[in-house]
Structures are given as C-alpha cells and as structure tokens.
Amino acid sequence: MSSERPAKRVRQACEPCRRKKSRCPGEKPNCSHCTRLRQNCYYADERHERVATSASPTPQPHSATSRMDGRLEDRLMHVESQLAEVLANQASLSNTVSQQLSDSPADPLHQLRTRSASRLPDTNSTLPPWDIIFSTGENYLLYCDCQPLPLFDRSTFIQRLRERESEVLFSLLALTLRFNEDGPNHEGQAKIVTDYVEAARALVTKKVMDGLVELSTIQSLCLLSLIDFTEGFTRRASVQTNLAMSLAHNAGLTSEAPVAISDHEKEERRRCFWSLFLLKKLHGADFTVLDFAAEDNYPWYPATPCDPLNLGQPSEQPGREGVNGETSSDQGIMAYAIQLSEVWFKTTRYAWRRGKPSSLSPWSSQSDGSTILAQQMEFETRMPWMHRFKPANFSQRPLEELNAHRDYWGPWLFIQFLYHTNLCLLNHPLLLSLRLRNSKCVIPEIFLQHTSDLISSHTSWIINFIEMLEAKGFKVTDPFLGHCVAIIATIYLQGSVVDDPGTRKEKQDSFAKCLRFIRGLAVQWPHVGRIADKLQGLSETVSSTHVASDVPTRQNRKLLIDLGQFFEVLEYASSSEVLNSARRLFGPSLHSNFPASRTEMAQTSVLPEPTRVEGQEFGNLTPVASMAEGSNVHMSLEDMSDAAVMGPLVYSDDELAVLAESFFHQRQEVDGNWWNMDSLSGG
C-alpha cells in the first residue's frame, strides 16, 4: 500500500498548464484541460524520451516516426510563438502567417489558427494568481452585477470562473480593480488597468478578425465598452458596443436559442443581449426601439429575484408571457429596469432636441412629451405592487441584508431614480422655456400647474432617496445614478435663481446635496467626476449672471445661461467625454469633423408661476371662510378657529404628486374599481 502512494504524487503537469499555474488533470497524451481549450498539450518528459529513443543503438520499429513527430511538434511550437510575438508587436498578421506557413510542415490552416488563438503564452502570463482573480470575481458580484448590467449568470459565476476565457478575465480585472481595498488611485494602478485592457482588446480583435467569435468575445466587448465610457472615451465605447450588438444579432442572440443547449448557456446568452441593450439605451446610442407589449421572440429576461420578501428565489418564468394582462406574472426586477430604460431612451431623444420649437405645443395630446408620458404610465401598469417603494421597505431593512442582495436592490434603486428623472426631464423648466421662447399664445394655467407640481414632487423624491441612502450607509456603485442626480441638480440650480432668500437657500442646499452625491460616485467612476466638474462650472456661470434684489423693478425675470454647459450636463455621453478624445480614435483626415465645444450664452425667461388658491384675495374673507360661507357645508366654530390659526392653505409635495403617490404608495392589486380603494396613499 505504501509503495503505491508515491506513484500518485509523481503525476506531472503538462507544459501549458504548468506555465499558467493551472491544476492539470495529468491525462496522457492530452489532458482534458488542454483538450477543452483546444490547445496543444505536451509533457516535458515526452521530449526527453523521444530524444533518448532516437539516440538509442537498439533498433526500434517506430523510431523514424517518433523523430518526425518531434520535429513536427517543435516546428509547430515555433510557428505559434512567432504568431504570438507578432500579435504583441501589433504587426501585420496575414504576412507573418504566410511566411511561417511556408516553412512549416503540412497542417490544416484551421487547426493552426485555433491553436494560436487559444494558446497565447505572452498574454496568459500576465494574468495574476487565481486568488486575485477570485477576489476580483467577488468584487464584481458585489459592486457591478446588475448595477446596472446583468452580464453573467450570478448563480454559477464564481464556480465557473476558471472556465472563462482570458479576454473576459482581463476585462473583469480592468473593471473591478477600482473597488480594491487599496483604493482606485493607488500608485501604478492606471498602468495595470491599461495593460489589462490592451490584453483583452488584443484577444478580442484577433478572434473577430480570425472568425473565432465566441460568447466570451461579445461579453468582453460589453465590458470594454463600459470601461472606455467611464474613462471618457465615449466614441470608442460606442464603436465597441455597436460591434458587439452586430455580432450578437448575427449570432442569433436577439431571440431565444432554437437549439438545445444547457440552461447556463441560455441564461448567459440572454444576459449578454440585455446588457448590450442597456448599454446602448443608457449611453445614448441609436438602436431599434422595442415594443415590450408585443409578442415578438425576444430573449427572456434575466432570472432575477421577484419578491423582495423572498430574495433568495430567482424568477421562475423570466419570459415575456402575460405582460398585457392585469394579472401578469412577475418577471423579476431586472425586467422592469430594462423596460423603463426604453422610456428613458425616448425621453433623452426628446431632450436632445435642445428646446427647438415644434409645430405642436408641449401641452398638446399629440406632442412627443405627452406620448412619452403616456408610455411611462403604461409601464406603471406592468410594474408589480411588491417592487414599489412602500412594500419594498428599503429604509427599514438591515444594511447586511441589503448588501447580501445587491442583485435586487441595485436594479430597484435604478428604477426608482430613473422613474423620477424621466418625469423631471420631460418637464424640465429650462427645456420648456426654450421651446416656448418664441410662442405667441398664452400658456394654459393647467399646464403650468401640472408642470410645477410634477417638478416639485419628483425632485423632492430624489433628494429624499439621497438622504435615505446616506443615513443607511448603503454604498451606491451604479454610475448612471450620478447622471440622474445631475439632471435633478440643474433644476434646483435654475430654481435657486430667485429673489426670495428662503427659497433661494432651500434650492441651493438641495443642489449641494446632489453635487455631494455625485462626488461620492466619482471616487470609483472618473466620468462621474467630470459630470460633477461641469455641473460646478454651470453653477458658477449662472450665479455670476444673477443679481438678487428686493426691489421689484430690478428682479430678474430673465436668466443668462451657457446652453453649451447645460446640455453637456444633460447628455450622458457629452458629460462623460474627455476633451479631444475623438482625436485619439480618428486620424488627421477626420479631425476637422469634430469642432471644439464652444460657449453658447442665451437669455431665457423663467416660466410663470401657476396661480395658487393660497394668497389670493376673496374679499375680506380667508379662502377657507369664503368656502364655508358660500356653501352648505356645516362648519363648527371650533373648525373655524382652527382654520384661522392655520392661515393660508399649504399643499405638501405628497398631496400634489398624484403620479408619484399612485406609483409608489399604491395599494396591492384588488378587484373592482380603483375608486373604491380606501386611500390612494395607503399601504
């Protein structure tokens, strides 16, 4: 028994596994690890045995064949090393392959390409040890998964990390290094991230050019696009996203897989497509508009938790069934984040017209703004009650529970922020004032009240969310939320340009809260820091052009603002872009197509305030007394005295925000007419 144990320890790893420091199964002639990766497998002792056999004086029946095999293998290894060197130096691949093939033994071209693509010694040698890679994977699940991209199957991500292709590992390392304990800006990190990105890009480019595209290739492009966008290279990010979406379309990822594949592969295909969809919608790239109420064969939504009370259970049916019915099944929180991003995309297209006058007035039922608002209300009808603000009960949950289920709370916060930002952007007072600056008609009072109430309510929701997250100590890592808050900040900035000291102080404090939230995200995401800088610059420009005055004749009804700065903050790609980044993508023959940003000062009028019942004159009576005297409603003396003490009526944001209350405080679905509900804000 003791004589057999040493034999088990003597098993030797093959050379490819030994160089990568991977655990080798040790099968001969080819180990299963190399077979799965389609790479050449050989052992160091085989070559020595082959040389000894060829030099032995004893005649062997297959000595000539062994020598020929040895020479063939040596020559093939030489060809592969030459190809890897050419890739590293970014030389011409086709000429080098032709030159090496002329000296190599007869071997099918496809096998040579497959081996050289799978086995790249120079690239693989730069991967860190596996303990660092596994730590990277854990950071990815904690801070990046579903925040906002649901790219990988979370349930098997760590277990299958060793099976991931090198380009995916390099991309993951480059993305998540910013969340290391050392901090995102420690010495030498920028160089490491750049090396990882270049290694991933070289592997992806080779696979695309050689026709060896796999799902991992598209996943890597998705991650590389996100990295480039955060670094300010938004145009290159757009190119990579478009390439990835084109590959996904041609590979059939835009629909459910018709072939029989494993559940894991199906889930990763779905997640890859929807991650690309989110990237294009959030980053502002043109893409086909999807009708989520149709019965098209889109991929099923990612399997994410349905019920916040049972967060350990993923959605059983991530498909599209039942989205039109009142009793539609819950499709998982990520499905509703994806659907709301479509409304966001249309809202940004509306805003990107930069307030250009339209033949339709903003209050027309056929206007783009009214159409988008109707689509957001349609989304509300599909949103299950349990995912809304009050039943989710975020603020009362322990921080440990929130962090343990960030794959749910990340998309949940995304939906909350995006819902309110959509309504604020549609009713942005500066955009509306730009559209109405040449209008000759009277602005309807109902429109002014509707716009003012929506802005007041939904900006307050965002401020309350910021305060809730700060009090809870929950670390937000989705960079898109920073862009949402920046849009809200521009509304508070415009609202702070008033002469009333109390209102001015309130709006300035809210603007400061928004800016502080954005600065917090900038620690990990450089592009969010650029958004904060541009927002600060816009604030300084607005403040320098406004002079507060207590004299009515000197009050500013006109606001001088730099529209170039304003729209740079409003547009995600523009606010994230590094100056002259386009020149790093295009050559001199195309540089003239990208003029530098210019200052565009414009004077806009503040929208008129709606006429409120409080503060109006109704003879010698207060509004409450007038209403009581002119009606048959019985009011006691006690009621009258209470009304007199209260003074003018003051409406709270909650009382005015009908849409917000019905969406976030709606009671659980009941049969019958909704008018029979006890209270619209009831829980």
Side-chain angles (χ1 to χ4, degrees):
M1 187 84 117
S2 59
S3 61
E4 295 179 359
R5 289 180 180 173
K8 293 183 180 179
R9 296 193 204 101
V10 178
R11 178 180 298 171
Q12 183 181 7
C14 68
E15 290 299 296
C17 290
R18 185 180 62 80
R19 280 200 299 269
K20 293 190 293 184
K21 298 181 181 179
S22 300
R23 180 173 296 178
C24 180
E27 301 98 337
K28 294 186 179 182
N30 297 319
C31 74
S32 57
H33 183 72
C34 291
T35 302
R36 179 175 59 80
L37 296 178
R38 296 177 298 179
Q39 64 186 9
N40 183 30
C41 181
Y42 61 95
Y43 292 81
D45 56 350
E46 289 181 354
R47 181 169 302 174
H48 297 304
E49 292 175 0
R50 210 175 277 125
V51 173
T53 302
S54 61
S56 174
T58 306
Q60 299 292 337
H62 301 290
S63 59
T65 305
S66 299
R67 288 194 301 271
M68 184 177 297
D69 290 342
R71 289 195 300 270
L72 178 61
E73 184 176 359
D74 291 342
R75 189 166 293 181
L76 282 176
M77 289 177 60
H78 175 69
V79 171
E80 292 173 355
S81 63
Q82 290 295 318
L83 285 176
E85 183 179 353
V86 169
L87 279 175
N89 296 329
Q90 298 183 352
S92 173
L93 179 64
S94 58
N95 294 337
T96 307
V97 171
S98 301
Q99 180 180 352
Q100 298 297 332
L101 286 177
S102 62
D103 299 329
S104 65
D107 191 31
L109 179 61
H110 178 71
Q111 294 181 14
L112 178 62
R113 290 164 56 202
T114 302
R115 290 173 181 170
S116 61
S118 302
R119 178 171 171 268
L120 294 171
D122 291 343
T123 304
N124 286 334
S125 63
T126 61
L127 280 172
W130 277 106
D131 58 336
I132 296 179
I133 296 177
F134 279 111
S135 176
T136 295
E138 293 171 356
N139 279 342
Y140 176 85
L141 291 182
L142 183 61
Y143 298 120
C144 300
D145 180 47
C146 296
Q147 302 169 73
L149 303 184
L151 186 56
F152 300 106
D153 185 0
R154 185 183 183 90
S155 62
T156 61
F157 180 73
I158 296 296
Q159 296 89 323
R160 294 178 176 267
L161 203 54
R162 286 185 180 272
E163 302 175 12
R164 298 284 179 185
E165 297 292 339
S166 297
E167 62 266 25
V168 174
L169 297 179
F170 280 124
S171 302
L172 286 171
L173 288 164
L175 178 65
T176 58
L177 194 60
R178 68 194 73 219
F179 297 108
N180 282 1
E181 295 180 356
D182 297 335
N185 299 315
H186 76 270
E187 185 179 358
Q189 176 170 300
K191 176 64 167 58
I192 297 174
V193 170
T194 301
D195 291 343
Y196 286 154
V197 169
E198 290 180 353
R201 189 176 292 127
L203 290 169
V204 169
T205 302
K206 177 170 175 55
K207 287 193 173 184
V208 172
M209 295 297 103
D210 286 0
L212 300 170
V213 176
E214 299 286 351
L215 182 62
S216 61
T217 313
I218 305 177
Q219 291 171 331
S220 299
L221 281 170
C222 193
L223 293 174
L224 290 172
S225 176
L226 179 59
I227 294 169
D228 273 341
F229 193 92
T230 62
E231 295 298 328
F233 306 117
T234 57
R235 299 173 194 268
R236 188 167 65 190
S238 177
V239 171
Q240 291 177 140
T241 308
N242 289 331
L243 172 60
M245 184 57 79
S246 178
L247 293 172
H249 176 78
N250 286 282
L253 265 63
T254 55
S255 60
E256 273 296 298
V259 297
I261 57 178
S262 67
D263 292 340
H264 167 72
E265 291 176 299
K266 288 181 180 178
E267 182 66 18
E268 292 250 325
R269 287 169 58 95
R270 297 165 186 159
R271 288 174 172 270
C272 184
F273 169 76
W274 289 118
S275 294
L276 285 171
F277 175 89
L278 277 173
L279 269 183
K280 295 181 76 67
K281 293 302 181 184
L282 301 183
H283 291 178
D286 290 320
F287 183 52
T288 304
V289 175
L290 299 187
D291 182 6
F292 289 104
E295 295 297 330
D296 295 325
N297 186 32
Y298 300 126
W300 286 7
Y301 294 118
T304 49
C306 289
D307 188 351
L309 300 178
N310 300 288
L311 289 175
Q313 303 297 325
S315 57
E316 296 181 359
Q317 297 293 334
R320 303 184 56 82
E321 293 83 354
V323 296
N324 292 320
E326 294 182 0
T327 59
S328 61
S329 60
D330 188 359
Q331 298 170 306
I333 188 67
M334 200 68 224
Y336 304 105
I338 292 170
Q339 293 178 26
L340 189 58
S341 71
E342 179 70 20
V343 182
W344 163 258
F345 177 73
K346 296 176 181 178
T347 304
T348 55
R349 281 290 178 267
Y350 171 79
W352 285 359
R353 295 173 187 172
R354 304 200 169 196
K356 294 180 180 178
S358 172
S359 58
L360 293 174
S361 57
W363 50 85
S364 170
S365 60
Q366 285 80 38
S367 68
D368 292 337
S370 299
T371 302
I372 297 171
L373 181 60
Q375 291 172 348
Q376 175 132 334
M377 288 188 280
E378 283 294 327
F379 164 78
E380 292 183 38
T381 65
R382 298 192 296 268
M383 180 77 169
W385 174 81
M386 64 184 64
H387 295 312
R388 307 188 184 195
F389 179 80
K390 192 169 185 178
N393 201 21
F394 180 94
S395 62
Q396 302 304 316
R397 294 178 182 268
L399 181 60
E400 296 76 13
E401 178 186 340
L402 298 176
N403 283 324
H405 300 287
R406 292 179 72 99
D407 58 324
Y408 177 85
W409 296 114
W412 185 85
L413 285 171
F414 174 88
I415 291 174
Q416 308 303 315
F417 276 73
L418 193 57
Y419 171 83
H420 297 292
T421 306
N422 272 341
L423 293 171
C424 289
L425 190 54
L426 280 174
N427 296 277
H428 199 294
L430 183 54
L431 290 177
L432 290 175
S433 64
L434 290 174
R435 291 194 64 182
L436 294 171
R437 55 185 167 182
N438 297 322
S439 176
K440 303 297 183 182
C441 60
V442 177
I443 303 176
E445 184 70 24
I446 296 177
F447 175 77
L448 288 175
Q449 291 181 3
H450 177 71
T451 299
S452 176
D453 294 346
L454 284 177
I455 287 295
S456 175
S457 172
H458 293 287
T459 54
S460 297
W461 272 96
I462 295 296
I463 292 297
N464 280 278
F465 272 118
I466 293 174
E467 293 175 347
M468 179 187 70
L469 291 169
E470 289 179 351
K472 201 69 183 176
F474 184 82
K475 183 178 181 179
V476 176
T477 55
D478 184 349
F480 185 73
L481 301 190
H483 175 57
C484 293
V485 174
I487 293 174
I488 305 303
T490 61
I491 297 177
Y492 279 118
L493 180 60
Q494 185 182 10
S496 66
V497 186
V498 293
D499 294 305
D500 179 65
T503 302
R504 183 166 63 250
K505 179 67 164 56
E506 176 189 352
K507 303 298 183 183
Q508 288 174 346
D509 289 346
S510 296
F511 175 83
K513 288 181 181 179
C514 292
L515 192 60
R516 185 170 62 249
F517 178 85
I518 299 170
R519 293 285 187 196
L521 282 168
V523 175
Q524 274 83 32
W525 304 103
H527 71 298
V528 181
R530 287 186 288 275
I531 295 176
D533 292 340
K534 293 176 181 179
L535 191 61
Q536 184 69 52
L538 179 64
S539 171
E540 294 170 357
T541 301
V542 171
S543 300
S544 63
T545 59
H546 174 77
V547 178
S549 173
D550 295 330
V551 182
T553 57
R554 292 189 58 196
Q555 290 180 354
N556 283 346
R557 298 303 299 169
K558 295 281 187 179
L559 176 64
L560 189 63
I561 190 171
D562 185 349
L563 293 182
Q565 286 182 320
F566 171 70
F567 284 110
E568 277 191 354
V569 173
L570 223 58
E571 298 167 1
Y572 197 23
S574 299
S575 61
S576 304
E577 188 173 22
V578 172
L579 185 64
N580 295 326
S581 63
R583 297 179 180 271
R584 304 188 187 185
L585 176 64
F586 299 98
S589 63
L590 298 175
H591 282 176
S592 59
N593 295 336
F594 303 100
S597 59
R598 57 186 179 86
T599 301
E600 183 183 351
M601 302 300 295
Q603 198 174 44
T604 63
S605 299
V606 179
L607 286 177
E609 288 292 331
T611 303
R612 302 291 188 186
V613 65
E614 60 269 19
Q616 302 303 314
E617 293 292 337
F618 294 93
N620 294 326
L621 302 176
T622 64
V624 176
S626 173
M627 183 176 62
E629 181 176 322
S631 64
N632 296 324
V633 178
H634 174 72
M635 180 173 284
S636 65
L637 293 176
E638 182 179 357
D639 295 331
M640 290 288 292
S641 62
D642 290 340
V645 171
M646 287 188 297
L649 295 176
V650 178
Y651 292 89
S652 68
D653 288 339
D654 288 339
E655 292 170 324
L656 295 173
V658 178
L659 284 180
E661 291 293 334
S662 63
F663 181 59
F664 291 101
H665 283 182
Q666 180 178 328
R667 296 179 67 89
Q668 193 166 1
E669 287 83 351
V670 295
D671 296 331
N673 196 312
W674 70 276
W675 288 102
N676 296 326
M677 299 169 61
D678 295 336
S679 171
L680 190 62
S681 61

